[in-house]
Amino acid sequence: MSDTVLRGLLFGGSVNLTAICGSELVESARAAHGLSHVCTAALGRLLMQTAMMSVQLKSPTDNITVVFDGDGAGGRLVAVGKQGGVVKGYIDDPFVELPLKDNGKLDVAGVVGQNGELRVIRDLSLKEPYVGRCAIADGEIANDFANYFVISEQQPSLVYLGVRVDSKTGAVRAASGLMLQPLPFCPNEDIAKMEAAAGDIAGLTKRLEQGESLEQVLNAVLGDMELEITESCQPCFKCDCSRRKLESALISLGREELTDIIEKDGKAELICRFCNSKYNFSEPELRALLNEALQKAEGSDYDNG
């Protein structure tokens, strides 16, 4: 079952719908970071929600960054989404594991925390990015986003996110999400119908695990609400790091710090936080970057003169 994001409408256009099957996406993140069971669920939920939000971006240069800065055992969670549902992300402590909750479910709130801040930064290629923020509601991520949309964007939303992992291996068995956003003219009776379907929506990930497609489940759960699918795309976990970007980072350290690295270590290894890719630089390569840094500094001095 390949990953997909579906966008559509309910009730003839009074409710916007975005849904995701993100099993492969979340499994890619788990493999890249070596995530524990509970961190797979936590970061997976965040990545899928970010993917659903990022499919709305209009330009390839636009992006959305989401940060959960809470007091949970996992530390900070960060995700970045680009056009088409392409996402990357990380959690400060990807290996932390917590006991299951009393209901047998993974303790995502224990990883995220229940105190702290959720920030959403939308960089839409304008002069300044838009930054929205609100307090973390319960650390379960779906409720936190629903709370964020109401407080920061004045958009009531029903948000569901689910990740099912193998209890032994930790591999992702299924992952999905759904976001329903009524427009201002949506009748109260239509909102009541959506709320009444919340129990069925909560079984979305389990049904995907059992072999149904995302569209099949949506039709089964929301078909009587005049469901209309308008577009689809394939999301993925993909980092845009590169050797050249890391070279630029080293150059930005400046002459003194680069010289110090060369003299003390004679080499450098940089690791991308978003995907754990490693980039090694030998002493000759570092000296070439040092020369580049010096040339840039001399050019700056000349321009300032």
Side-chain angles (χ1 to χ4, degrees), residues 45 49 68 138-147 159-161:
R45 291 182 188 181
Q49 179 62 33
F68 272 85
D138 64 5
E140 292 291 341
I141 299 182
N143 289 336
D144 296 301
F145 274 105
N147 185 54
V159 180
Y160 161 80
L161 297 164

Side-chain angles (χ1 to χ4, degrees), residues 81-97:
K82 303 187 74 173
Q83 190 182 45
V86 178
V87 292
K88 61 182 181 180
Y90 68 86
I91 179 172
D92 280 348
D93 187 347
F95 311 122
V96 65
E97 195 66 274

